[in-house]
Amino acid sequence: MILTVTLNTALDLTYRVPRLTPHSSHRVTEVTERPGGKGLNVARVLAALGHESTVTGFAGGATGRALREQLATAPGVRDALLDVAGATRRTIAVVDAESGDTTQLNEPGPLITPDEWSGFLASYEQLLPSAAAVALCGSLPPGVPVGAYAHLVRAARAAGVPVLLDTSGEPLRRGIAARPDIVKPNADELAELTGSHEPLRATRDARRRGAHAVVASLGAKGLLAATPDGALRATPPAPVRGNPTGAGDSAVAALLAGLVENTPWRRRLASAVALSAATVLAPVAGEFDREAYEDLLDRVSVTEQASAA
Ligand code: TA6
């Protein structure tokens, strides 16, 4: 199985409104509620690709119960979340139906106590031996040490399990130095990490900080990767319009599938771009339009970027 870690799980609410206008009240035309937080989205997409996955992290309160009830109905996803006293957060995505633009509001999450964190570490160590790969995803809830991901990367490496890291800020900075196999920042996270707004330079710089490969998501422009096979750019045939929430999580799912199947980097990146675009076409994160995915797969262009620096 593939293990995904979401320390800050979320009950994802998606509100659709005809047109989002500041300082005004809106009639919501559609509400969707899904178990979320990045690693949960990754696990649902992996399961749809035929990879059994196990999710771990924290869940608590009424929101945590609602999240777990829904997760129980997701085929191919095993729930190994730990109960905590604090309530799981909600995240809200407001989709403007006219423009397709999405506004995201993420709560900070419950306070995790030192005992709950120690309990998680013990359970993570027990899960690692049966994992083919592990993904560490999303923000840290209050109370979890800022070096948490660095610790979890080192534990995975010590157990011989390949590890992908998808986070931001200081947890990313420390986590990357622990030498994960793959990190997947977006353009803003990459710029914050490296101080460079030039994506190719920043991606290579990030790789020098310790990751075996860095795959930067550039939104509708696709992915830019610094890999052991060189720097590669993967671009979709045309931009797609829809809800981009969770597109990055689907890229992570494709990269993990490629990691455990040991597919060549070019193929991994093509699959990640096709799956991200097919997720933009789906109404919510953690789902994708399968027909669009299969159609896009062979139409993503993957090109080598000039060597140097
Ligand atoms: O990428 C989309 C998403 O995974 C949502 O499902 C939502 O739960 C959010 O991101 C969480 O991100 P965060 O960085 O706050 O952990």
Side-chain angles (χ1 to χ4, degrees):
M1 59 87 174
I2 296 177
L3 180 65
T4 74
V5 174
T6 314
L7 296 172
N8 211 357
T9 54
L11 195 59
D12 278 355
L13 301 175
T14 305
Y15 289 156
R16 209 174 163 80
V17 298
R19 187 156 178 263
L20 189 62
T21 320
H23 318 298
S24 61
S25 113
H26 296 81
R27 294 277 164 206
V28 175
T29 54
E30 201 183 305
V31 183
T32 321
E33 190 183 277
R34 290 283 188 282
K38 297 191 187 304
L40 267 60
N41 296 333
V42 172
R44 284 160 56 222
V45 172
L46 276 171
L49 293 175
H51 287 276
E52 297 251 315
S53 50
T54 297
V55 295
T56 187
F58 300 114
T63 34
R65 273 194 300 281
L67 179 149
R68 296 183 86 165
E69 269 167 29
Q70 289 200 31
L71 201 55
T73 67
V77 179
R78 189 173 86 83
D79 175 354
L81 295 167
L82 272 71
D83 278 319
V84 285
T88 294
R89 66 181 171 153
R90 284 153 303 200
T91 68
I92 299 173
V94 184
V95 181
D96 177 322
E98 193 179 287
S99 66
D101 291 341
T102 302
T103 305
Q104 180 92 20
L105 303 169
N106 294 359
E107 294 180 6
L111 178 67
I112 303 301
T113 66
D115 280 355
E116 288 169 342
W117 176 238
S118 311
F120 171 80
L121 290 177
S123 137
Y124 177 72
E125 293 278 357
Q126 279 179 5
L127 287 165
L128 276 177
S130 37
V134 56
L136 308 172
C137 305
S139 59
L140 299 179
V144 169
V146 70
Y149 283 138
H151 183 89
L152 301 183
V153 168
R154 282 194 292 270
R157 282 173 49 82
V161 182
V163 55
L164 180 152
L165 176 64
D166 179 12
T167 190
S168 56
E170 191 57 25
L172 170 62
R173 187 181 303 280
R174 296 194 191 196
I176 204 169
R179 311 187 78 77
D181 292 80
I182 303 176
V183 292
K184 195 221 63 69
N186 64 31
D188 291 342
E189 292 160 353
L190 192 63
E192 190 194 349
L193 175 74
T194 63
S196 168
H197 289 272
E198 202 282 288
L200 185 56
R201 180 189 297 260
T203 306
R204 286 180 166 138
D205 174 351
R207 183 164 184 256
R208 280 193 291 268
R209 289 165 190 255
H212 194 60
V214 175
V215 181
S217 51
L218 308 178
K221 292 187 192 148
L223 296 171
L224 182 61
T227 77
D229 297 351
L232 298 166
R233 175 86 189 251
T235 319
V240 286
R241 263 188 89 219
N243 178 3
T245 317
D249 304 337
S250 292
V252 167
L255 294 173
L256 282 168
L259 186 64
V260 299
E261 289 163 11
N262 200 21
T263 50
W265 268 103
R266 284 174 173 272
R267 191 71 189 158
R268 284 188 210 186
L269 295 173
S271 166
V273 167
L275 204 50
S276 292
T279 299
V280 174
L281 294 171
V284 290
E287 296 174 14
F288 62 96
D289 178 327
R290 186 173 289 273
E291 214 177 298
Y293 169 58
E294 281 161 12
D295 171 57
L296 285 163
L297 205 47
D298 292 320
R299 299 199 299 125
V300 173
S301 105
V302 183
T303 52
E304 213 159 298
Q305 302 295 288
S307 57

